[in-house]
Amino acid sequence: MKYDVIVIGAGSAGGTMATRLSEDPHRSVLLLEAGPDYPDLEQTPDDLKFGYAPRASEMGAPHNWSFVGTGTPRQTEPVNVPRGRVVGGTSAINGQVFLRGVPEDYDNWASWGNDEWSYINVLPYFRRQETDTDISDDFHGFDGPIPVRRHRRENWLPLQEAFHNACTDIGYAEVYDHNHPDSTGVGPFPMNNPNGVRMSTALTYVNPNRHRLNLTIRANVRVRRILFEDGSTGSPRAVGVEVESGGETFEVEAGQIVLCAGAIASPQLLMLSGVGPADELRSLGIPVVKDLPGVGKNLRDHPLVPVRVKVKDDFPLDPDAPRIQTVLRYTASGSDARNDMQIFPSSFSTPLGGDPFDNEGIRLTCMMELAQSAGELTLQSTDPDVQPYIDCRYLEADWDRERMREAVRIVLRLLDHEQFRNIYDGLISPAEGDLVSDDALDDWMLREVCIGQHLSGTCKMGPDSDAMAVVDQYCRVHGIENLRVADASVMPDVIRANTNCTTIMIGERIAEWIRSGQ
């Protein structure tokens, strides 16, 4: 059977894409997912359903690809790179923060030759995806599939209350709605987990619409490569995919292919199919279909550095309580990029297989929302089961280290505040010796920096004049017919927010273009 559209990957963008495209009963859609499929809430496993404990994203968890990468040369162990392997993708294993980027993020995309992506143009697609249960105004949706809420202040944990009060006392603004375009300061995270249930795109987009006769969902299917023929314009034309399922290999045809496999798997699949940096492909014996040097480059993320803290013996720590509730978004000293930093408090737990909860302390996490440093990923093998090499290159830029140092010192100032008098019982990490100089602090940060789990940018959107652009602003792959990429990989730069709702917005936007023939 030949489908009108094949969507590869059923995550934040892919689940959205397949759902919206299949609203047209005359369009046949095949949604392919490498992981399993759970067709309703009752059959959804607890690690996916309940989002307070971080078990779904731990290394070795059943629905996690559990990739590894290199953070910095100073680190002796690889960084963990969680990615969802299930219908719902990473939206099914994430931290459930439903935060948008600031308007300047999308206006920057527009200024770089992608004028369709200005904030005023993307706002309707943010509203379309959500039902905000707390706020009703022109900036928020009221009838979308994903419920959005904020933890009410009377339900904040003591750590969250102390953090909020200390931040406002030292001069940061109090903000209730972090998805308002002008917001900055400290207040509750917008989250998509009513009653602690993680509302992935599987639960909100795919499952309510899987009854459609024109929507075919195939789970446990590994896409090995995209298939091409010579197109009518002389450019290659995508005509189908080669997949593996149940130990057998099949070819499936379609009029259009939309790659929604995420910032790691989308560039990996392009390169395995012969689309990417020509020299790198030839070195592995892959025939070059299209030389696009930007595939796998421009890897963006939000590097984070956790300050771990001992607590007093009588301070309550509940392993089943919400992980995060509040956040401080602020602009680093000397920065012209608003809200380029975040700090948020949480308790910390042990890895999968350890004790259910480490009651030793808390952490205040410093997260860089707009890093200068960028990494890359490259193929290690022509076997799609071998993950690409992920080189994050965190904190390479002097400016990144300067801002992260300031964030650590803001955390230390907060810990000295009277609000933490009955909580704070000394540092676990950094040690006192790590704080004696900028160089010492840099060395500690380069050893301790972690992944923000917001990988993006590896199939960069941009005009033909941008040699590193992989797709145009309609997310059509440059120089190839009938092939698009629609996920976090197309972001020219990472947004100053968690990436889930922006990735869903990308799926909404491109699905509408495909439906309209754009």
Side-chain angles (χ1 to χ4, degrees):
M1 179 177 178
K2 181 176 180 178
Y3 293 86
D4 292 318
V5 182
I6 294 176
V7 178
I8 302 172
S12 296
T16 302
M17 175 74 61
T19 300
R20 294 305 191 191
L21 289 178
S22 61
E23 288 176 346
D24 176 359
H26 303 296
R27 176 180 284 106
S28 59
V29 179
L30 173 62
L31 177 61
L32 298 175
E33 169 56 43
D37 180 24
Y38 303 103
D40 54 45
L41 182 62
E42 288 69 29
Q43 296 181 57
T44 301
D46 286 353
D47 65 310
L48 304 179
K49 187 185 305 183
F50 300 116
Y52 285 162
R55 298 179 183 94
S57 60
E58 290 171 348
M59 295 297 284
H63 302 100
N64 184 2
W65 283 99
S66 298
F67 295 140
V68 294
T70 298
T72 77
R74 303 277 184 94
Q75 294 177 324
T76 58
E77 298 293 331
V79 294
N80 298 334
V81 185
R83 296 284 92 186
R85 184 173 184 165
V86 64
V87 172
T90 305
S91 79
I93 70 168
N94 67 3
Q96 306 118 82
V97 171
F98 216 67
L99 182 64
R100 305 172 187 171
V102 298
E104 299 96 307
D105 289 325
Y106 312 104
D107 290 340
N108 283 342
W109 295 4
S111 72
W112 298 330
N114 309 292
D115 58 283
E116 293 281 1
W117 294 90
S118 65
Y119 175 72
I120 195 66
N121 284 344
V122 302
L123 178 60
Y125 301 91
F126 282 120
R127 298 183 71 235
R128 179 179 296 180
Q129 66 188 257
E130 71 176 16
T131 292
D132 195 307
T133 59
D134 299 325
I135 301 170
S136 178
D137 63 19
D138 291 341
F139 298 111
H140 299 80
F142 59 88
D143 60 355
I146 298 181
V148 180
R149 60 81 176 245
R150 295 145 192 84
H151 287 278
R152 297 189 181 279
R153 187 158 188 175
E154 58 266 28
N155 297 325
W156 288 359
L157 299 172
L159 169 63
Q160 307 290 334
E161 183 73 25
F163 175 77
H164 179 274
N165 292 342
C167 286
T168 56
D169 194 57
I170 67 172
Y172 292 105
E174 184 174 15
V175 59
Y176 179 68
D177 177 17
H178 273 297
N179 277 337
H180 189 281
D182 297 327
S183 66
T184 190
V186 63
F189 270 122
M191 307 194 75
N192 58 310
N193 62 353
N195 301 313
V197 176
R198 182 189 283 109
M199 302 302 290
S200 68
T201 53
L203 294 180
T204 56
Y205 277 85
V206 177
N207 287 353
N209 300 293
R210 60 173 59 241
H211 62 279
R212 295 174 181 164
L213 298 180
N214 63 324
L215 174 59
T216 303
I217 303 165
R218 290 288 181 265
N220 300 305
V221 174
R222 186 64 186 264
V223 178
R224 301 187 62 84
R225 63 190 178 102
I226 301 164
L227 304 174
F228 299 99
E229 292 180 353
D230 291 334
S232 58
T233 64
S235 299
R237 179 176 67 235
V239 295
V241 293
E242 180 184 279
V243 302
E244 183 179 346
S245 178
E248 297 186 58
T249 301
F250 306 90
E251 292 185 1
V252 188
E253 295 182 334
Q256 290 192 65
I257 310 295
V258 186
L259 190 48
C260 300
I264 296 174
S266 283
Q268 179 191 21
L269 267 172
L270 285 177
M271 289 187 283
L272 289 172
S273 306
V275 179
D279 290 343
E280 293 181 22
L281 301 181
R282 292 190 186 103
S283 70
L284 290 170
I286 299 173
V288 177
V289 173
K290 179 66 179 178
D291 179 17
L292 286 178
V295 176
K297 312 308 179 189
N298 190 48
L299 176 62
R300 301 287 177 163
D301 189 27
H302 295 143
L304 60 86
V305 172
V307 176
R308 294 186 296 146
V309 176
K310 295 178 183 177
V311 297
K312 296 188 181 295
D313 291 340
D314 58 350
F315 184 74
L317 293 171
D318 182 354
D320 297 318
R323 276 189 268 168
I324 50 178
Q325 294 179 312
T326 61
V327 62
L328 169 64
R329 300 165 77 204
Y330 70 96
T331 305
S333 298
S335 176
D336 59 2
R338 182 169 64 98
N339 288 352
D340 59 342
M341 298 296 298
Q342 273 190 21
I343 298 173
F344 56 91
S346 62
S347 302
F348 56 81
S349 56
T350 55
L352 191 70
D355 294 330
F357 190 72
D358 181 344
N359 62 3
E360 190 174 26
I362 58 175
R363 64 186 171 203
L364 278 74
T365 298
C366 307
M367 181 178 285
M368 181 166 297
E369 295 293 284
L370 201 61
Q372 280 189 351
S373 307
E376 68 173 340
L377 59 86
T378 52
L379 289 183
Q380 301 187 94
S381 168
T382 58
D383 183 348
D385 291 322
V386 176
Q387 71 151 83
Y389 174 61
I390 303 168
D391 188 1
C392 299
R393 297 178 185 166
Y394 292 138
L395 305 182
E396 279 193 349
D398 292 343
W399 177 229
D400 291 351
R401 295 193 300 277
E402 180 179 337
R403 288 180 290 166
M404 194 66 87
R405 285 196 303 268
E406 180 186 48
V408 172
R409 288 166 176 151
I410 290 172
V411 166
L412 298 179
R413 183 182 177 192
L414 292 171
L415 292 172
D416 280 339
H417 193 277
E418 62 178 2
Q419 287 287 329
F420 281 87
R421 184 176 302 156
N422 296 321
I423 302 175
Y424 176 49
D425 199 31
L427 290 173
I428 298 172
S429 178
E432 290 299 326
D434 298 321
L435 301 171
V436 296
S437 67
D438 285 355
D439 287 344
L441 185 51
D442 283 354
D443 186 67
W444 173 79
M445 293 189 309
L446 289 166
R447 286 184 280 113
E448 297 297 322
V449 64
C450 303
I451 189 170
Q453 303 186 28
H454 303 145
L455 301 179
S456 54
T458 48
C459 296
K460 177 185 178 183
M461 179 198 311
D464 286 330
S465 57
D466 183 348
M468 297 304 288
V470 176
V471 299
D472 67 14
Q473 68 168 332
Y474 300 101
C475 294
R476 300 172 296 207
V477 177
H478 284 298
I480 296 181
E481 299 176 20
N482 300 342
L483 177 62
R484 301 192 199 223
V485 182
D487 55 33
S489 70
V490 305
M491 298 182 192
D493 198 353
V494 70
I495 51 163
R496 280 163 266 186
N498 306 60
T499 48
N500 186 33
C501 73
T502 293
T503 304
I504 294 169
M505 179 273 288
I506 290 169
E508 288 272 12
R509 193 92 210 269
I510 298 169
E512 184 171 283
W513 281 331
I514 293 174
R515 290 189 61 177
S516 65
Q518 179 65 54

